[in-house]
Amino acid sequence: MDDVVDVAVVGAGPAGSAAALRALQLRPDARVLLVDAAEFPRDKTCGDGIAAHALDLVEALGVPGVSRLGPPVPRLRLRSPGGRVVERTCTRPNRVVPRTVFDSELVAAAVARGARLLRHRVRRLDVRPDHVVLDGTVAARVVVGADGANSTVRRLIGAPIAAPSATAVAVRGYARTAVDPDTLVIEFARGPYPAYAWSFPLPGGGANVGFGVFDKRGSGSRAELVAAMRALLPGHEPDPASVRGHHLPLSTGPRHHPDGRVLLAGDAAALVNPLTGEGIFDALASGVLAGRAALLGAAAGAAHRAAMRRTFERHHAHGAMLARLLRRPRFLDAAVLAAARRQSVFDAAVDLGLGRGTAPLHALARVAIAYASPHRRAPSSP
C-alpha cells in the first residue's frame, strides 16, 4: 500500500464534494479521492430547497452557475399551529433544485478540478500513526467522513448515538401540483412535538412535498407521516412511488470532532438545523472547513474542531435555545406573528433557519411582545 492519497472523502454529497473542492482549491496538486456507494446521479431524500446562503458557499468554491439549475423562488409562507401566517419576500430568493441534479453538479465540479471518484461502500477504518486505511485497500493521510445521517465513519470512530429528541424523521414525495409556484410553503402541525408539512415548487412544475417531525418519539409509521402531510396539503398528493423516509441528525445532538486524521462533516457530524430541518448549508460549510483542515495531516482533527466551534458555536446555541421554545405552540404562534409584523424579524428568522444566523435581541423582543399580546392587531411594518 505504497500509494497514499492526501485526502479520502467518504460520501460525495454536498459536504463531501465541498471538502474535495476546498482542498483542491487550496492545493491544486493534492491527491483527493471521493468515495461513495452510489452511482451518480442518484436520488436523495430531501426537500430540495437550496437557500441563497448555500449558493453563496457554492460560488465561493468556484462552482459558478449552480443557480441556473432552479428558478428563483422569491417568497416564503409559514403557518403556525394556531393559524398565524407570515408571507413575505425574502431578501434574496431561494431555489428548489432536485438533489439528483444539485449533487451531481457538485461531484462533476470536484472531478473536473482533479478529484477521483470511486464507487465503493466503506465498511472498515484503520487509523495508523501516519495514515488511515479504508477496507484494507485505500490509504489516505486524512479521511473526511461525509457519509450522511447513517454514517459508517462516525460509527467506526466511536461517536455517541444521538438521542431520539435530537433526531428528526421526515418523508418526502413529488406531487404534480404546487401550493404556490413562487413560494416556499410551510404548514406547522398541532401535536406534542414540533412538526410541519412543506410544498416547495420544482423547476418545470410540480412540487417537492413532505412532512417532518422534530423528535423521533413522535414520528410514527411512514403511513402516518404521509397522512399528516395529506391533511396539511390537501389536493397535493405525492406520487406514492416517490415517497421516501429519512432520519435527520439535529445539531442539538452531541458534538464529536476528535483529534487526529479522521474528520466529520455534514449529516455525519449531526448538523441539521433543529428549527427547519435544513441541512445543505451546514453540510457545505462544514465540508469547506473539513477540506481546509484535511491538508494538515495529524493536526487536522484539532484544527477542524476549532474551526467548527468558531463558525457554528453561537448559531448552534441560539438554534438549540429556540428549538426548546418551539415545543410550545404558543411561542411559535408569537414568532410567526412577530415576523408578520416586522420584516427585520422575518429576515432574522430566515438567516437562523437557512444559514448560520443568530437570534438578535430586537427580534426576540418583538416575539416577546407578540407572546404577551397574541390577539392584539398590529399592522405589518418594514
Side-chain angles (χ1 to χ4, degrees):
M1 201 175 300
D2 297 326
D3 187 21
V4 180
V5 301
D6 296 303
V7 183
V9 184
V10 182
S17 292
L21 285 162
R22 184 56 173 154
L24 289 164
Q25 193 176 45
L26 294 171
R27 268 189 50 195
D29 63 338
R31 289 179 297 172
V32 177
L33 180 66
L34 270 173
V35 185
D36 200 290
E39 182 177 359
F40 286 80
R42 58 96 174 95
D43 189 19
K44 188 75 172 179
T45 306
C46 180
D48 294 340
I50 313 295
H53 308 69
L55 291 172
D56 289 343
L57 295 177
V58 175
E59 293 282 342
L61 285 169
V63 186
V66 172
S67 60
R68 76 182 189 282
L69 301 174
V73 181
R75 296 181 69 78
L76 171 66
R77 180 163 80 238
L78 190 151
R79 184 188 302 272
S80 74
R84 296 290 185 178
V85 178
V86 56
E87 180 174 350
R88 286 185 179 269
T89 299
C90 297
T91 301
R92 294 182 298 159
N94 304 297
R95 297 173 190 267
V96 181
V97 182
R99 292 289 296 277
T100 52
V101 177
F102 183 74
D103 289 17
S104 294
E105 189 84 2
L106 293 180
V107 170
V111 170
R113 190 169 292 175
R116 182 164 65 93
L117 180 61
L118 172 66
R119 187 178 182 187
H120 175 76
R121 184 180 299 280
V122 172
R123 292 182 171 85
R124 292 187 293 114
L125 183 149
D126 180 16
V127 180
R128 300 180 183 177
D130 57 353
H131 64 276
V132 182
V133 181
L134 302 175
D135 291 330
T137 59
V138 174
R141 291 185 174 84
V142 172
V143 167
V144 177
D147 48 339
N150 300 312
S151 171
T152 297
V153 174
R154 179 180 172 88
R155 175 176 55 80
L156 290 174
I157 63 173
I161 298 173
S165 60
T167 304
V169 179
V171 291
R172 171 233 71 187
Y174 289 104
R176 298 172 68 89
T177 57
V179 173
D180 187 326
D182 296 316
T183 305
L184 302 178
V185 174
I186 293 175
E187 298 272 348
F188 270 87
R190 291 182 180 274
Y193 302 102
Y196 71 76
W198 70 83
S199 173
F200 296 167
L202 290 166
N208 180 310
V209 296
F211 183 84
V213 182
F214 287 82
D215 193 312
K216 189 176 180 180
R217 294 170 296 181
S219 60
S221 67
R222 178 184 295 192
E224 289 170 326
L225 294 174
V226 172
M229 177 205 313
R230 190 181 295 120
L232 289 169
L233 301 174
H236 301 282
E237 187 78 14
D239 177 359
S242 69
V243 176
R244 300 283 187 275
H246 194 48
H247 289 77
L248 304 170
L250 304 175
S251 62
T252 49
R255 305 277 181 268
H256 192 71
H257 295 291
D259 288 344
R261 297 179 181 271
V262 182
L263 315 178
L264 296 175
D267 285 6
L271 294 177
V272 174
N273 192 299
L275 306 175
T276 59
E278 202 283 335
I280 294 177
F281 174 85
D282 282 17
L284 291 166
S286 62
V288 167
L289 298 178
R292 181 183 185 89
L295 299 174
L296 301 177
H304 185 53
R305 181 174 62 252
M308 289 289 290
R309 184 181 298 117
R310 287 194 303 270
T311 303
F312 287 109
E313 187 171 37
R314 291 186 69 241
H315 169 66
H316 285 161
H318 285 223
M321 173 192 70
L322 291 175
R324 290 191 294 271
L325 292 173
L326 284 186
R327 292 177 179 268
R328 304 177 182 180
R330 188 180 162 197
F331 176 82
L332 182 53
D333 288 342
V336 170
L337 183 58
R341 289 172 173 170
R342 289 276 178 166
Q343 180 75 39
S344 60
V345 177
F346 176 84
D347 293 341
V350 169
D351 287 341
L352 183 60
L354 301 182
R356 63 180 184 96
T358 57
L361 287 176
H362 75 84
L364 292 175
R366 290 288 173 180
V367 174
I369 292 170
Y371 190 92
S373 54
H375 302 297
R376 181 175 63 84
R377 288 286 181 183
S380 62
S381 59

